[in-house]
């Protein structure tokens, strides 16, 4: 035997010891489950690029939430799959107080008042071209005009009973305007979960399949962040915080763990991370080919995101891990 007084393997010898020294935990209550909502009743549509995930009509959404709640999930994020007949250049449907999102929020809150409900605030499900903002005749994405729509949209969600509005469009100044709009209407209790560092990523395509929102022209690089940049993301988060964001989000998650960890050092606000559709789809495809075990890969992925500094994670992988 060599003379070796320090042996780190002593702390890994049994499962009980390993559990004692475990630094990061993953709990169902840390997770936010995105749900894709369809109009109508008894509707469930598979999404081929997201195996295991479906678009659901409100009746099925309620059943799903009951099931999730039994497993300890407490938070849901809503994404409406909007019928093309309701899409327009001005995205007016996005603030319809009787639209799909508002109706879904009301139904969920009536049945499950304790669920934390989050809804996206961005125009892309409602515009004909699929951009997150209004577009002028030259194809420029308009900032301030878009914000007026976002404030209306946030108010319609607040009236329906949302807990957090989640602006996901990366327009400048939207957090401050939405906060002011909510406060002026008396919705001081409604929080803002800001997609603060949202990158122009190639990992969103399965999500765009899910909502059938495919860009008719261009790309989102004039509003979403360049994947090459760190400081710009930290600046975005700082601004959102100063404009009144309650929670700051980094998106996607795994390719951006450095951003999460640097933001952790910068802010005392809670941090969310979005483990996006492409991150889910890659693992599911590999699992279907027999190359990987999806549940254990997802567990490791989500643990890494928490280890980097996220307090909460949006993920499609909940059923793979906890159900
Ligand atoms: C819409 C929005 C997107 C996602 C969440 N909200 C897509 C996009 O910006 O193009 C992506 C989520 C995912 O890929 O899981 N603004």
């Amino acid at each position: 035997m060599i003379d070796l007084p320090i042996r780190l393997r002593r702390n890994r010898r049994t499962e009980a010891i390993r559990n004692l020294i475990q630094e990061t935990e993953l709990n169902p209550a840390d997770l936010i489950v995105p749900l894709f909502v369809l109009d109508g009743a008894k509707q469930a549509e598979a999404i081929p690029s997201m195996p295991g995930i479906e678009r659901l009509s409100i009746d099925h959404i309620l059943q799903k939430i009951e099931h999730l709640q039994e497993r300890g999930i407490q938070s849901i994020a809503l994404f409406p799959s909007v019928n093309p007949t309701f899409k327009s250049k001005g995205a007016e449907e996005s603030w319809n107080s009787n639209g799909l999102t508002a109706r879904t929020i009301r139904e969920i809150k009536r049945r499950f008042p304790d669920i934390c409900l989050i809804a996206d605030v961005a125009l892309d499900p409602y515009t004909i071209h699929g951009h997150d903002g209004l577009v002028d005749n030259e194809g420029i994405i308009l900032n301030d005009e878009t914000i007026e729509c976002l404030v209306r949209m946030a108010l319609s969600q607040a009236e329906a009973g949302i807990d957090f509005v989640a602006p996901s469009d990366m327009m400048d100044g939207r957090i401050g305007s939405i906060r002011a709009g909510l406060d002026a209407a008396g919705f001081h209790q409604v929080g803002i979960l800001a997609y603060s560092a949202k990158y122009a990523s190639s990992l969103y395509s399965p999500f765009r399949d899910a909502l059938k929102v495919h860009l008719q022209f261009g790309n989102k690089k004039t509003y979403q962040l360049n994947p090459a940049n760190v400081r710009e993301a930290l600046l975005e988060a700082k601004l959102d915080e100063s404009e009144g964001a309650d929670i700051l989000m980094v998106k996607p998650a795994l390719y951006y763990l450095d951003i999460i960890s640097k933001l952790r050092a910068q802010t005392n606000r809670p941090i969310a991370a979005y483990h996006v559709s492409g991150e889910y789809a890659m693992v599911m495809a590999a699992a279907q080919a027999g190359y990987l075990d999806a549940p254990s890969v997802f567990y490791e992925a989500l643990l890494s995101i928490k280890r980097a500094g996220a307090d909460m994670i949006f993920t499609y992988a909940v059923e793979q891990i906890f159900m």
Side-chain angles (χ1 to χ4, degrees):
M1 286 289 152
I2 54 173
D3 178 16
L4 196 56
I6 297 172
R7 291 177 184 266
L8 294 184
R9 285 186 57 200
R10 276 196 288 269
N11 280 351
R12 292 178 220 138
R13 195 169 54 81
T14 70
E15 174 142 23
I17 300 171
R18 288 194 294 277
N19 287 340
L20 285 176
I21 68 157
Q22 178 154 335
E23 299 172 30
T24 310
E25 303 280 348
L26 183 66
N27 303 306
D30 304 326
L31 304 180
I32 296 146
V33 177
L35 294 178
F36 300 117
V37 193
L38 272 180
D39 234 322
K42 298 192 169 64
Q43 302 292 309
E45 295 177 358
I47 303 156
S49 54
M50 300 184 74
I53 307 292
E54 295 175 309
R55 302 177 197 97
L56 300 171
S57 53
I58 298 179
D59 48 337
H60 282 304
I61 291 273
L62 296 175
Q63 286 169 6
K64 168 76 78 186
I65 293 176
E66 188 170 0
H67 194 57
L68 290 166
Q69 222 178 13
E70 283 164 9
R71 296 292 189 286
I73 301 291
Q74 301 174 354
S75 301
I76 301 291
L78 292 177
F79 296 94
S81 178
V82 177
N83 188 313
T85 56
F86 294 131
K87 301 193 185 202
S88 62
K89 244 189 114 184
E92 288 85 357
E93 179 66 14
S94 64
W95 62 85
N96 179 353
S97 57
N98 246 330
L100 181 56
T101 306
R103 277 183 282 122
T104 310
I105 294 168
R106 271 189 231 111
E107 289 280 329
I108 295 175
K109 274 290 164 182
R110 185 160 45 194
R111 268 282 295 281
F112 305 103
D114 299 335
I115 283 281
C116 173
L117 254 196
I118 300 162
D120 240 42
V121 175
L123 302 185
D124 53 316
Y126 303 94
T127 54
I128 311 165
H129 41 68
H131 275 290
D132 291 27
L134 301 178
V135 175
D136 74 4
N137 292 333
E138 274 85 56
I140 306 284
I141 316 297
L142 301 168
N143 194 87
D144 300 15
E145 293 83 346
T146 296
I147 288 181
E148 289 177 29
C149 299
L150 299 177
V151 173
R152 290 195 188 121
M153 190 175 174
L155 285 172
S156 77
Q157 296 176 354
E159 278 158 19
I162 204 75
D163 292 296
F164 283 91
V165 294
S168 67
D169 56 291
M170 295 298 285
M171 297 298 134
D172 286 328
R174 80 247 201 256
I175 303 302
S177 293
I178 291 172
R179 185 70 270 160
L182 288 171
D183 287 349
F187 293 114
H188 302 97
Q189 83 287 3
V190 172
I192 301 180
L193 190 161
Y195 285 66
S196 299
K198 176 173 181 180
Y199 285 87
S201 172
S202 301
L203 292 165
Y204 307 147
S205 348
F207 173 95
R208 294 181 193 167
D209 296 339
L211 293 192
K212 300 182 190 158
V213 282
H214 295 106
L215 277 184
Q216 299 303 307
F217 68 90
N219 54 55
K220 298 193 175 184
K221 292 181 187 178
T222 69
Y223 41 109
Q224 299 179 349
L225 289 167
N226 179 347
N229 294 355
V230 178
R231 295 189 299 267
E232 199 183 359
L234 297 176
L235 212 45
E236 282 284 2
K238 201 170 265 178
L239 274 176
D240 283 359
E241 190 172 342
S242 69
E243 290 175 30
D246 300 282
I247 300 174
L248 307 171
M249 178 137 80
V250 175
K251 173 185 176 191
L254 288 176
Y255 290 8
Y256 298 86
L257 293 183
D258 57 329
I259 311 299
I260 297 173
S261 118
K262 286 182 174 132
L263 182 56
R264 182 69 291 158
Q266 164 176 301
T267 184
N268 288 320
R269 282 294 192 182
I271 298 176
Y274 202 136
H275 177 240
V276 300
S277 56
E279 300 179 80
Y280 173 79
M282 287 191 282
V283 175
M284 292 304 283
Q288 286 182 338
Y291 301 159
L292 290 174
D293 174 51
S296 51
V297 172
F298 280 133
Y299 178 77
E300 188 175 334
L302 299 189
L303 201 61
S304 306
I305 296 165
K306 287 208 70 188
R307 194 191 61 231
D311 300 289
M312 66 198 90
I313 308 171
F314 286 61
T315 182
Y316 305 95
V318 161
E319 311 223 10
Q320 296 292 321
I321 303 178
F322 289 111
M323 308 308 261

